[in-house]
């Protein structure tokens, strides 16, 4: 799929246009609506004692835990776990979603698949893995990679901002003694890099200059 810049300034992908700010605002509202769904799921799980973490979480290297690849991002190991994931999920998800709904959905699917399968193949078979951390690291990977593959100064700026705010989280991809799935973080980040490359925004070289701006045509 190819996206083209609008030289009249109405491109929602171009920083500074009204369409850009509108897309960012809609994305923020949408992500703010997603997080309460996660709270409802956690409330049902805790209130009704459904035990979803064990029945729908990832159990590495076990067939009965393979379905958790798709369900585990919607589950959390308690309220503190969910609280800690909510803000970065909203913030990072907003920037990713603002670039387009279809790109967002396909990218999220790739991240969930790569992160989940990575955990299932490499995690401890004596553990159960749940949480949206893999998706969060995937969104971080997307934003940091877009600035390179799309050669846009706006994406570079977003990547820099995200790096300053959440760069410390990159330590979460390293093995640790804490009860944290570093595999989910690592493979989530890699999934984000893959998604940013697969669903990058292509531009016709004849229509843009070296700075990535539309060529000006005089009447």
């Amino acid at each position: 799929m190819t996206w083209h810049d609008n030289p009249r300034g109405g491109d929602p992908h171009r920083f500074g246009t009204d369409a850009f700010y509108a897309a960012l605002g809609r994305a923020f509202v949408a992500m703010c609506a997603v997080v309460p769904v996660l709270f409802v799921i956690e409330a049902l799980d805790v209130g009704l004692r459904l035990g979803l973490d064990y029945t729908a979480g990832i159990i590495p290297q076990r067939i009965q835990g393979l379905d958790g690849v798709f369900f585990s991002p919607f589950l959390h190991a308690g309220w503190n776990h969910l609280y800690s994931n909510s803000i970065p999920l909203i913030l990072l998800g907003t920037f990713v979603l603002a670039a387009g709904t279809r790109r967002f959905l396909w990218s999220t699917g790739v991240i969930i698949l790569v992160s989940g399968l990575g955990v299932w193949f490499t995690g401890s078979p004596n553990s159960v893995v749940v949480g949206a951390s893999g998706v969060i690291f995937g969104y971080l990977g997307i934003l940091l990679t877009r600035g390179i593959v799309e050669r846009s100064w706006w994406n570079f700026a977003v990547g820099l901002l995200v790096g300053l705010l959440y760069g410390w989280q990159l330590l979460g991809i390293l093995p640790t003694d804490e009860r944290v799935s570093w595999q989910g973080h690592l493979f989530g980040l890699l999934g984000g890099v893959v998604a940013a490359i697969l669903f990058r925004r292509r531009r016709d070289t004849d229509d843009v200059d070296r700075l990535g701006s539309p060529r000006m045509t005089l009447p």
Side-chain angles (χ1 to χ4, degrees):
M1 182 175 294
T2 303
W3 291 267
H4 297 277
D5 286 323
N6 186 337
R8 296 183 179 179
D11 182 9
H13 303 285
R14 184 170 296 283
F15 178 78
T17 64
D18 291 340
F20 170 84
Y21 292 119
L24 199 62
R26 289 193 298 268
F28 178 74
V29 171
M31 291 307 302
C32 287
V34 168
V35 170
V37 175
L38 302 181
F39 276 87
V40 170
I41 294 175
E42 185 66 19
L44 292 174
D45 187 24
V46 174
L48 300 179
R49 299 181 180 180
L50 299 177
L52 294 178
D53 292 354
Y54 298 97
T55 59
I58 299 175
I59 304 178
Q61 304 174 34
R62 297 186 182 182
I63 297 300
Q64 64 267 33
L66 188 57
D67 58 351
V69 168
F70 303 100
F71 298 125
S72 62
F74 303 97
L75 306 173
H76 289 81
W79 295 109
N80 289 336
H81 187 202
L82 180 53
Y83 289 139
S84 65
N85 280 342
S86 295
I87 294 179
L89 183 62
I90 291 175
L91 178 60
L92 298 176
T94 294
F95 287 111
V96 176
L97 178 55
T101 302
R102 282 182 294 178
R103 294 176 75 189
F104 173 81
L105 293 177
W106 280 103
S107 296
T108 301
V110 169
I111 292 169
I112 290 176
L113 190 63
V114 173
S115 175
L117 288 178
V119 169
W120 191 83
F121 278 109
T122 65
S124 170
N126 297 319
S127 64
V128 178
V129 180
V130 295
S133 299
V135 174
I136 292 172
F137 271 80
Y139 291 160
L140 180 60
I142 286 179
L143 295 175
L144 293 176
T145 306
R146 275 182 180 170
I148 299 174
V149 299
E150 297 185 10
R151 291 179 292 180
S152 167
W153 75 266
W154 158 243
N155 284 310
F156 273 116
V158 171
L160 179 60
L161 174 62
V162 172
L164 292 175
L165 291 177
Y166 291 99
W168 59 272
Q169 287 195 5
L170 292 176
L171 297 177
I173 66 176
L174 301 176
T176 175
D177 293 331
E178 297 182 8
R179 298 178 60 186
V180 175
S181 176
W182 62 269
Q183 296 96 332
H185 298 171
L186 173 61
F187 285 101
L189 186 70
L190 293 177
V193 172
V194 171
I197 295 174
L198 289 178
F199 309 119
R200 64 189 179 276
R201 184 165 177 252
R202 297 176 177 84
R203 297 175 177 177
D204 295 333
T205 55
D206 292 338
D207 295 333
V208 297
D209 60 23
R210 293 182 180 180
L211 295 178
S213 301
R215 294 187 184 281
M216 181 176 295
T217 303
L218 298 178

